[in-house]
């Protein structure tokens, strides 16, 4: 039991603290094979046409450019703190340190500052508020422009929490009776929905409407681990659908607009229909080190046996094709937004589309560690400050 708790906590910490991971690339053998395939493409036009198109399009469409660092209220000093993270809801960005929550508008004007006493604060952003919970603790709070919306303290430890676009918040705790117990609160903090399972909840993905979610659980049978996805609507008691016996240990899920589901597992990426049919699948070549997904695109980062590189794999809901690239550098953060994949490396930001094309690369400060978006502006954190960055 204790080992499972630690495992769950490690997964959540790794996903929420993505900026501290990485070091990567593909298998050297795969790279060699890919190079040989490229030569064959250039000489024959008939050998591996998909690979040829991917490399040609990448070469022809990449834009090398710089970014503009906005002035005005920026940069915003983070101040002395043991930890800091930035989040967004609506047209606001929020700085969370080990003692304070500070809400800013898109121009960097301070709207409100709120103290908190959470030992290990983890934030999840909704449509109009930020939910902040104490990972492995017992307390949480929801805040918005007006200040504190509600607080809750639980008799059991909080395993995870998520919040949707309509600000319904799902909180998972572990009780003596259930391995996982989920309580859903409405935007005012009133209890709205309860769900329990004899299996441990390992992830929650809110739907695009914000009034339901997909819950990932795992089970063991015959010495094998498998996962289960249960889609729920907070307005009805019966599940919308259930996908059972998924052959991977799911780390992360994203419920897409058509009710298909991205599943990032311990050994593979899956795109499944609500009926459980595999739409696309990618089995990892090495070790998963990071991932990102939205309702249109999923991206996987793998460790490499070649020093100084990492492997990128991109899949899209609009295609069953899987696109791959070997990238030199260190992946500091990867984010999917609007069907594009944004990768922050030391000194640059690479942008790929859902077909695996490198569409742009931007020069950025080598000190940038993590970022969030408000519309087309990027808010970036380095060791001491927050900057507003726009693309030229």
């Amino acid at each position: 039991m204790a080992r499972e708790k630690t495992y769950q906590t490690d997964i959540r910490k790794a996903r929420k603290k993505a900026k501290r991971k990485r070091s990567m690339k593909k298998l050297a053998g795969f790279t060699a094979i890919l190079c040989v395939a490229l030569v064959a493409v250039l000489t024959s036009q008939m050998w591996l046409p998909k690979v040829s198109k991917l490399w040609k399009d990448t070469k022809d469409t990449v834009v090398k450019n710089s970014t503009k660092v906005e002035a005005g209220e920026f940069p915003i000093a983070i101040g002395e703190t043991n930890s800091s993270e930035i989040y967004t809801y609506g047209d606001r960005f929020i700085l969370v340190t080990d003692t304070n929550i500070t809400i800013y508008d898109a121009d960097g004007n301070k709207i409100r500052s709120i103290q908190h006493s959470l030992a290990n604060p983890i934030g999840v952003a909704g449509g109009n508020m930020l939910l902040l919970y104490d990972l492995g603790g017992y307390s949480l709070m929801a805040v918005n422009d007006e200040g504190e919306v509600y607080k809750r303290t639980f008799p059991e430890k909080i395993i995870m929490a998520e919040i949707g676009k309509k600000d319904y918040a799902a909180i998972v705790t572990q009780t003596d009776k259930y391995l996982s117990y989920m309580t859903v609160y409405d935007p005012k903090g009133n209890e709205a929905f309860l769900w329990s399972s004899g299996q441990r909840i390992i992830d929650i993905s809110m739907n695009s409407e914000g009034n339901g979610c997909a819950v990932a659980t795992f089970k063991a049978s015959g010495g094998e681990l498998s996962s289960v996805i249960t889609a729920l609507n907070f307005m009805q008691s019966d599940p919308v659908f259930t996908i059972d016996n998924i052959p991977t240990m799911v780390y992360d899920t994203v419920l897409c607009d058509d009710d298909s589901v991205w599943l990032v597992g311990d050994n593979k990426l899956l795109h499944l229909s609500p009926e459980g049919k595999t739409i696309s699948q990618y089995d990892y070549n090495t070790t998963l080190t990071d991932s990102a997904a939205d309702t249109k695109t999923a991206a996987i980062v793998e460790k490499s046996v070649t020093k100084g590189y990492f492997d990128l794999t991109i899949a899209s809901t609009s295609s069953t094709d899987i696109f791959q690239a070997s990238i030199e550098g260190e992946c500091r953060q990867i984010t999917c937004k609007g069907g594009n994949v944004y990768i922050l490396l030391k000194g640059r930001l690479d942008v790929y589309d859902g077909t695996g094309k490198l569409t742009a690369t931007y020069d950025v400060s080598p000190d940038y560690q993590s970022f969030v978006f408000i519309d087309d502006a990027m808010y970036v954190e380095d060791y001491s400050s927050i900057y507003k960055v726009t693309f030229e």
Side-chain angles (χ1 to χ4, degrees):
M1 185 75 70
R3 282 204 306 242
E4 289 181 336
K5 276 188 179 179
T6 302
Y7 182 56
Q8 174 63 53
T9 300
D10 288 344
I11 293 171
R12 298 298 294 180
K13 279 185 177 178
R15 193 157 56 234
K16 297 298 183 183
K17 304 287 182 179
K19 66 185 181 183
R20 293 186 178 93
K21 299 184 210 169
R22 10 275 174 199
S23 239
M24 10 277 160
K25 178 188 174 183
K26 223 176 195 182
L27 292 171
F30 176 83
T31 303
I33 292 171
L34 190 58
C35 291
V36 172
L38 178 58
V39 172
V41 168
L42 295 175
T43 57
S44 106
Q45 297 290 321
M46 298 178 64
W47 175 252
L48 295 178
K50 289 183 180 178
V51 174
S52 174
K53 184 176 187 302
L54 172 61
W55 283 77
K56 182 178 184 301
D57 288 348
T58 297
K59 182 179 179 181
D60 291 345
T61 62
V62 63
V63 177
K64 295 184 178 180
N65 212 329
S66 60
T67 54
K68 178 182 178 182
V69 180
E70 300 289 340
E73 301 299 322
F74 296 94
I76 295 172
I78 294 173
E80 293 186 8
T81 180
N82 293 322
S83 64
S84 65
E85 291 286 348
I86 49 177
Y87 306 91
T88 62
Y89 65 77
D91 59 354
R92 306 290 192 244
F93 72 92
I94 307 95
L95 170 65
V96 177
T97 68
D98 53 2
T99 57
N100 283 82
I101 308 163
T102 309
I103 303 172
Y104 299 88
D105 67 17
D107 294 323
N109 299 300
K110 183 187 294 187
I111 296 174
R112 188 168 297 276
S113 184
I114 305 163
Q115 285 190 324
H116 73 80
S117 58
L118 305 181
N120 188 16
I122 300 293
V124 283
N128 295 288
M129 66 173 63
L130 178 75
L131 185 73
L132 198 67
Y133 67 98
D134 199 355
L135 181 63
Y138 301 89
S139 301
L140 63 80
M141 60 192 301
V143 299
N144 63 12
D145 291 9
E146 304 302 317
E148 183 183 299
V149 181
Y150 62 85
K151 273 186 177 180
R152 291 291 178 271
T153 300
F154 297 85
E156 305 89 10
K157 288 185 178 180
I158 300 171
I159 299 173
M160 73 182 71
E162 288 293 342
I163 189 169
K165 291 183 178 179
K166 289 188 176 180
D167 294 323
Y168 278 81
I171 319 301
V172 178
T173 56
Q174 182 178 353
T175 70
D176 293 335
K177 186 176 180 181
Y178 301 102
L179 285 175
S180 298
Y181 192 83
M182 185 175 74
T183 305
V184 176
Y185 295 97
D186 69 16
K188 294 182 179 180
N190 301 311
E191 190 177 286
F193 186 82
L194 300 173
W195 191 79
S196 60
S197 173
Q199 302 162 1
R200 184 176 299 282
I201 297 175
I202 49 178
D203 194 58
I204 300 172
S205 172
M206 307 299 282
N207 65 16
S208 57
E209 291 79 21
N211 57 6
C213 66
V215 181
T217 59
F218 77 90
K219 61 182 181 179
S221 178
E224 298 291 331
L225 286 176
S226 64
S227 300
V228 180
I229 300 297
T230 306
L232 303 168
N233 186 304
F234 302 148
M235 308 304 161
Q236 65 185 56
S237 57
D238 294 332
V240 178
F241 63 82
T242 300
I243 306 173
D244 203 352
N245 298 318
I246 302 167
T248 188
M249 174 72 175
V250 172
Y251 289 167
D252 196 14
T253 61
V254 171
L255 186 61
C256 302
D257 295 340
D258 60 357
D259 284 340
S260 65
V261 187
W262 288 117
L263 301 178
V264 178
D266 63 337
N267 59 1
K268 66 188 68 182
L269 169 69
L270 289 167
H271 184 207
L272 299 182
S273 71
E275 297 75 32
K277 180 181 178 181
T278 300
I279 301 171
S280 65
Q281 175 176 327
Y282 167 66
D283 296 310
Y284 307 153
N285 289 319
T286 57
T287 303
L288 175 72
T289 60
D290 206 356
S291 66
D294 64 4
T295 59
K296 296 180 180 180
T297 308
I300 296 295
V301 175
E302 291 179 77
K303 187 177 181 179
S304 175
V305 295
T306 304
K307 186 177 180 180
Y309 284 79
F310 64 90
D311 290 340
L312 173 68
T313 299
I314 297 175
S316 172
T317 56
S318 61
S319 172
T320 58
D321 293 333
I322 301 294
F323 304 94
Q324 295 181 301
S326 294
I327 302 174
E328 184 176 9
E330 176 190 5
C331 178
R332 292 182 172 178
Q333 182 180 329
I334 184 168
T335 294
C336 294
K337 176 182 178 290
N340 289 324
V341 180
Y342 296 82
I343 303 175
L344 178 64
L345 304 99
K346 183 177 181 179
R348 78 178 195 266
L349 178 77
D350 287 348
V351 184
Y352 290 81
D353 66 15
T355 69
K357 298 176 186 175
L358 177 61
T359 58
T361 183
Y362 296 90
D363 295 326
V364 298
S365 167
D367 294 332
Y368 290 167
Q369 300 297 308
S370 63
F371 64 89
V372 294
F373 279 102
I374 298 177
D375 297 326
D376 293 329
M378 188 170 70
Y379 296 79
V380 188
E381 181 182 8
D382 68 8
Y383 301 104
S384 61
S385 303
I386 297 172
Y387 304 84
K388 181 179 181 180
V389 176
T390 55
F391 303 107
E392 294 182 338

